[in-house]
Amino acid sequence: MGKERIVILTGAGLSAESGVPTFRDKDGIWAKVDYREVATPEGFARNPARVHEFYNMRRRAHAGIRPNAAHAALARLEREHAGEVWVVTQNVDALHEGAGTQNLIHMHGQLFQALCNACGSRAPWAEDLSLTTVCPACTNAGGMRPDVVWFGEMPYHMERIRDLLEAADLFLSIGTSGNVYPAAGFVAEARASGAHTVELNLEPSEGCSLFAESVYGPATAVVPAYVDRLLKDL
Ligand code: OAD
């Protein structure tokens, strides 16, 4: 015992109780904003100022937002579990790292990072981006974009994630609706590799029937309780 390799997929539901809006809930971001305008390469090509405005607003909204008890429980799991724990997050916020998680993969990119379309370099970014922002690496103006994966783009680190899923003994999916691939397909990949699969979410997700075990409730309640139990059982 103690060698179990745990892979945890997280989504917007994990950060909801920190005050970060989800995407597909009743008051979610995609109920108010057309994703084709702000989260596709075509939308950025058509109206880059609109896209910058959307992400600048989201970046600013993060001031004062703190990790919640669910982020803290996952960081504790990594610290206290004798085996390997990896968090693969679809969230672009910085709340996992804020809580102390170290083995972290941002598969949909990061709000606080910018990517230069001209030279491909990345830079930490806490300020607004605009059409005149200058790339600190190549000094070109106008090519900077948020380093966030948009619809139609390939999520980051997929090879590494597939290796982790293949080796996983336990796969947890937390706070995600299971609508967006490839992340929605991870449960099937983990199952095929022989992992035990568990969903923790406010309500059954799209792919809920694919999980061997399910726990429903708000993340700040169910995640700390699940981690407590896991650390006792392992
Ligand atoms: P969604 O908004 O699609 O789903 C959030 C899930 O969290 C839903 O199933 C909710 O029921 C659940 N939820 C809400 N509040 C919760 C709480 N307090 N505790 C636990 N669960 C809660 O968000 P994601 O699945 O993360 O991608 O969306 C996936 C991707 O779609 C995002 O990364 C983003 C989006 O478009 C891009 O922008 C490329």
Side-chain angles (χ1 to χ4, degrees):
M1 293 302 264
K3 291 213 170 56
E4 279 82 357
R5 279 166 294 200
I6 305 174
V7 178
I8 304 162
L9 172 69
T10 65
L14 191 78
S15 296
E17 290 163 85
S18 289
V20 183
T22 60
F23 293 96
R24 292 174 185 78
D25 289 305
K26 192 164 52 65
D27 300 319
I29 293 176
W30 298 152
K32 295 175 184 151
V33 182
D34 185 341
Y35 79 89
R36 287 165 300 197
E37 277 183 25
V38 297
T40 62
E42 295 77 14
F44 187 58
R46 265 195 310 270
N47 191 348
R50 167 79 186 99
V51 176
H52 283 314
E53 180 199 5
F54 175 71
Y55 289 97
N56 289 343
M57 192 192 69
R58 286 181 65 193
R59 210 179 291 106
R60 284 188 215 149
H62 274 270
I65 280 179
R66 298 281 170 265
N68 64 44
H71 298 101
L74 297 183
R76 175 179 167 228
L77 180 63
E78 180 188 283
R79 269 195 321 273
E80 296 184 14
H81 175 45
E84 204 171 275
V85 178
W86 277 90
V87 172
V88 178
T89 189
Q90 300 169 87
N91 299 343
V92 297
D93 63 47
L95 298 179
H96 278 300
E97 45 275 63
T101 288
Q102 297 196 359
N103 292 342
L104 178 64
I105 297 176
H106 272 286
M107 66 176 291
H108 287 171
Q110 302 180 57
L111 196 52
F112 292 94
Q113 196 160 277
L115 168 66
C116 176
N117 270 338
C119 74
S121 70
R122 295 183 156 84
W125 212 270
E127 309 299 321
D128 283 0
L129 283 168
S130 77
L131 297 177
T132 55
T133 303
V134 171
C135 170
C138 73
T139 68
N140 265 302
M144 297 296 273
R145 58 168 275 186
D147 191 12
V148 162
V149 174
W150 289 326
F151 289 95
E153 295 181 323
M154 181 56 82
Y156 297 151
H157 312 296
M158 284 309 299
E159 221 172 288
R160 175 82 181 108
I161 296 169
R162 296 237 142 88
D163 287 347
L164 290 171
L165 291 171
E166 210 167 288
D169 301 302
L170 174 62
F171 173 75
L172 309 180
S173 172
I174 309 179
T176 176
S177 64
N179 276 287
V180 176
Y181 283 83
F186 290 173
V187 56
E189 292 178 46
R191 263 176 87 123
S193 312
H196 180 60
T197 55
V198 187
E199 157 158 284
L200 297 101
N201 204 43
L202 198 54
E203 59 194 15
S205 70
E206 279 294 308
C208 61
S209 62
L210 297 169
F211 291 86
E213 192 186 336
S214 312
V215 186
Y216 297 119
T220 56
V222 296
V223 177
Y226 191 86
V227 165
D228 271 349
R229 212 181 77 206
L230 202 56
L231 284 169
K232 282 193 188 106
D233 289 352
L234 284 167

